[in-house]
Amino acid sequence: MPGEVPLRGRNLGDLAFKTLLTIAAIAIPALLAFLVWELYLGSKLAIERYGLGFISGTNWDPVAEEFGALPLIFGTLTSAAIALVIAVPLSLGVAIYLTEFAPKWIRQPIAFVIELLAAIPSVVYGLWGIFVLIPLLRTAVFPFLRDTLGFLPLFQGPIYGNSMLAAGIILAIMVMPYIMSVSREVLLAVPTSQREAALGLGATRWEAAWTAVVPYARSGILGAIILGLGRALGETMAVTMLIGNRHEIAASLFAPGYTMAAVIANEFTEAATDIHFSALTYVAFTLFFVTVLVNAAARLLIWRVSRGRPSGGQGV
Amino acid sequence: MADRAPPDAPRIRAAGLTAFYGAFAAVKDVTLGFGANQIHALIGPSGCGKSTFLRTMNRMHEVVGGHVTGQVLLGNEDIYAPGVSRTRLRRRVGMVFQKPTPFPTMSIYQNVAAGLKVGARLPKARVDEIVERALQQAALWNEVKDRLHTSAVALSGGQQQRLCIARTVAPEPEVVLLDEPTASLDPQGTQRIEELLFTLKAAFTIIIVTHNMQQAARVSDTTSFFYLGSLIETGPTKQIFTAPAVEQTEAYITGRFG
Amino acid sequence: MNRLGWRRWKSRVMVGLMMVAVVVAVAPLVMILATLVARGAGSLNLAFFTQIPVPAGETGGGVAHAIVGTLLIVGTAALLGLPIGIGAGIYCAEYPTARLAVVARFVADVMNGTPSIVVGVFAWTLIVDVQKHFSGLAGSAALAMLMVPMVLRTTEEMVRLVPHSLREAALALGYPRWRTSLSVVVRTCLPGIVTGSLLAIARIAGETAPLLFTALGSQFMSRDLDQPMAALPLTVFTYATGPYDDWHRIAWATALVLILVVLVLSLLARLATRQRFGSRG
């Protein structure tokens, strides 16, 4: 009975299986290439008409067919910078506390709760921002900042509520979970011997964490921060709802501004001329390239620390 | 190395077999046959090529990127001839690994029946019969007959390994390869496996790689000693352990190296 | 001695500051959830789930159209995105060193960081601009594109967690490679793949930006994917930015429903991995 299986034979199942998987895998780079191509085609008109002057122009007037994206780029970078200034110390504090100091039983629940923040849809942040955060900022926080730090141009001028600072603050809340969870992963990957060596030399627990553990994970933490930056640059809804949507470059953080993502969200359905569509697509194209560069840098840094392990970053 | 196949016509036989990983030859020009219904032990220090040699018998070394020159004849068919299907070959030459590998998502019953899935479709009653027979052969039936449909990973290590043996023998292969099957078991588990090997040899040709010389001496009919990828000596177990012909063999079995 | 005292004191202060950071970090979540419940829960009644909106100025009505729209758009996106994401993920795990796997993995990371609004523009040029009308399907395409890279990475990681010994055991039984892969390897890590898929679905269910100029939104019940369609996040956006108090009330209630959908999906995802495979080798 056993000898009945002939040795020769072909296996069509394997061929079909590999073919299907290969098609799925090819679809990924194909989709991205297609995306780049479509964005290029869409923005071709504007690229030909405005070239790189698009990036340095400050006037945005669809009726006069003038499109300068500098205020958008400024707003995108400024709101992201505010977000990082607030979110980085907070997320690092939490990440270091959770890996080095917190009682064991509390670590998982806190990390879980903070990662839940990443699951909240952007539009819900926007809603909360409009009705809870903005009133709070307008009536309490902004006046306080103007009274105490008003000597800086950043905190001068009329208070609107919807503003660059409001957008930056909501972005900070939104990117914090990403920075926190990636930093935490990176810190967890630091070998225990690092801590023990420092403690053995008589360092306090804080000194051990700050001088032995954190520097070891430095480039991974930097990667986490840049990953957060990537998120902040491309974030759309909450920013659109809070930033005030005005094409101007203001010194004061209390003034409204605009971002690249927000202008696409606001104007795409209203655009009436081909050149307006094309200009908006040009903005999308530029935004795409900036985020690709930022993310590539982040991945590289994280990969250097946690070599071998596939990098996290979407760990919700 | 001279051709010293066991007396009776070998069930499976390597002829001038060299096995490579990349450019590295892990097994060098081995000619060795294995008679039916016997237990054959392969011994030698770690890294000597005995496991690689075993894996060339059902082309499992190719899974990790190895290749061979030379032949392995099953009956009188070369298993490396073009057009030979590895999956069909492995249904005739089964293998048990060092660590127990029950499929965690399957019940005990499903594990034993797993190898039947790739053959001709069998009626349920026939599968029931085969599962019971295989578990009997693996000396596990009495312990699990009342919980055939529970998870296989709940079994002890020794039970898991006997389950893997049952899974391997269920499709009735001609040859059963065992790669250090007791290396991860306690002495009691080891003893159970050794006992069941004696019953299994009535039905199969068994080749076992072991790092444990006492085990080779206890269970096998023939023993082959490998060193640095070459077959140094082969013969009836008693002869190898009492009167080895080659000095290296003697050095190894008396514990002077390895 | 004095110096040591100062260092100990500093250590204690820093730990205190970090605990403050934890509180500050957790506070927004608590505040957001509390406001959602406080302002949204009161409006949740049967009509809210079964009716479509009434004209502006009148009170009552519901968001049944948006619930149906979200189910259809997200469901279609999952049908489009999951096979590609899971298939490509298995490819990357099965042939980890193949050039295509390296490329697909890298591109997935790039796509993962691509702003969703950009993907929306892509779907617009691809479908809306060609068909000359907005459609739920265009929204599904955008969302599918967003979920593919997430699903790919989790699938690959999960498949790679399965011990190699299981694969060998199946191959040694004479399983062909495809069968080894599906009925042993993938089957073993299926809970993990389900978790990854559910998390990806939860994530796209809350996406608004890519739907703005694809699905567009609607005030009416539509079950035709070739037509503009409402979705929960779009409804939150429209009503939150509108001028009427009653709209704001609906926005809060809709946001509460949306967050419940997202949280339930995330929770289901965690339950799926609860029964993890036993011995990990």
Side-chain angles (χ1 to χ4, degrees), chain B:
Chain B
M1 189 62 232
D3 184 4
R4 271 188 272 169
D8 40 343
R11 185 65 240 153
I12 188 165
R13 174 169 174 274
L17 187 85
T18 300
F20 296 93
Y21 292 112
F24 170 71
V27 173
K28 295 168 197 156
D29 192 25
V30 170
T31 297
L32 181 59
F34 302 98
N37 305 111
Q38 287 186 318
I39 299 176
H40 308 273
L42 308 180
I43 60 170
S46 32
C48 70
K50 57 190 193 296
S51 279
T52 301
F53 177 72
L54 188 79
R55 292 166 72 96
T56 62
M57 300 280 109
N58 69 347
R59 301 184 65 171
M60 279 303 288
H61 71 299
E62 291 176 5
V63 172
V64 285
H67 69 280
V68 300
T69 59
Q71 289 185 315
V72 173
L73 300 164
L74 179 62
N76 46 23
E77 278 185 281
D78 181 8
I79 67 170
Y80 287 98
V84 167
S85 151
R86 273 165 272 191
T87 56
R88 285 159 182 268
L89 164 68
R90 288 168 193 155
R91 277 150 69 189
R92 290 172 55 180
V93 183
M95 187 164 205
V96 176
F97 298 88
Q98 191 169 343
K99 267 193 297 184
T101 52
F103 299 135
T105 56
M106 298 183 190
S107 68
I108 293 169
Y109 179 95
Q110 288 168 328
N111 260 284
V112 180
L116 305 173
K117 290 260 174 66
V118 283
R121 215 171 177 70
L122 298 171
K124 170 90 170 73
R126 178 82 186 105
V127 177
D128 288 349
E129 257 173 58
I130 295 175
V131 168
E132 178 173 350
R133 187 213 75 218
L135 284 169
Q136 298 272 19
Q137 283 178 315
L140 191 59
W141 174 252
N142 287 330
E143 291 157 63
V144 300
K145 62 179 184 225
D146 299 323
R147 47 174 175 144
L148 286 176
H149 298 285
T150 62
S151 168
V153 283
L155 298 173
S156 75
Q159 288 174 321
Q160 286 187 10
Q161 191 62 304
R162 278 179 279 144
L163 178 70
C164 292
I165 292 175
R167 186 174 67 188
T168 303
V169 301
E172 296 189 50
E174 293 151 65
V175 181
V176 174
L177 311 173
L178 300 113
D179 188 359
E180 303 196 18
T182 60
S184 62
L185 302 183
D186 58 24
Q188 208 182 356
T190 303
Q191 197 194 341
R192 304 288 305 261
I193 303 260
E194 288 182 7
E195 283 164 7
L196 76 88
L197 288 180
F198 287 114
T199 32
L200 284 182
K201 78 172 175 180
F204 309 99
T205 304
I206 296 173
I207 309 176
I208 177 171
V209 162
T210 176
H211 62 268
N212 177 333
M213 276 177 290
Q214 285 73 34
Q215 182 168 61
R218 282 193 301 265
V219 302
S220 69
D221 300 298
T222 77
T223 296
S224 306
F225 171 63
F226 282 72
Y227 184 59
L228 295 177
S230 297
L231 174 64
I232 304 298
E233 183 170 6
T234 182
T237 297
K238 199 176 216 172
Q239 178 196 321
I240 295 286
F241 279 94
T242 52
V246 184
E247 195 188 336
Q248 280 163 308
T249 315
E250 192 181 352
Y252 181 67
I253 59 175
T254 54
R256 269 186 278 141
F257 72 88

Side-chain angles (χ1 to χ4, degrees), chain A residues 7-89:
Chain A
L7 276 183
R8 281 158 199 276
R10 284 179 56 77
N11 201 331
L12 291 175
D14 278 357
L15 188 67
F17 181 63
K18 186 166 183 185
T19 308
L20 283 177
L21 292 188
T22 308
I23 290 172
I26 286 178
I28 310 260
L31 271 173
L32 189 76
F34 200 24
L35 179 143
V36 173
W37 177 242
E38 285 284 335
L39 289 184
Y40 168 71
L41 276 191
S43 41
K44 208 169 155 209
L45 196 60
I47 294 175
E48 280 165 4
R49 176 122 38 124
Y50 307 107
L52 285 178
F54 188 73
I55 293 169
S56 56
T58 53
N59 203 15
W60 184 280
D61 184 351
V63 181
E65 300 198 348
E66 267 186 70
F67 297 100
L70 191 62
L72 306 173
I73 296 168
F74 170 81
T76 304
L77 296 179
T78 311
S79 57
I82 298 171
L84 289 189
V85 166
I86 300 169
V88 167

Side-chain angles (χ1 to χ4, degrees), chain A residues 219-239:
Chain A
S219 65
I221 291 174
L222 193 59
I225 293 170
I226 299 178
L227 206 66
L229 173 66
R231 293 271 157 195
L233 293 175
E235 183 45 55
T236 311
M237 295 319 294
V239 174

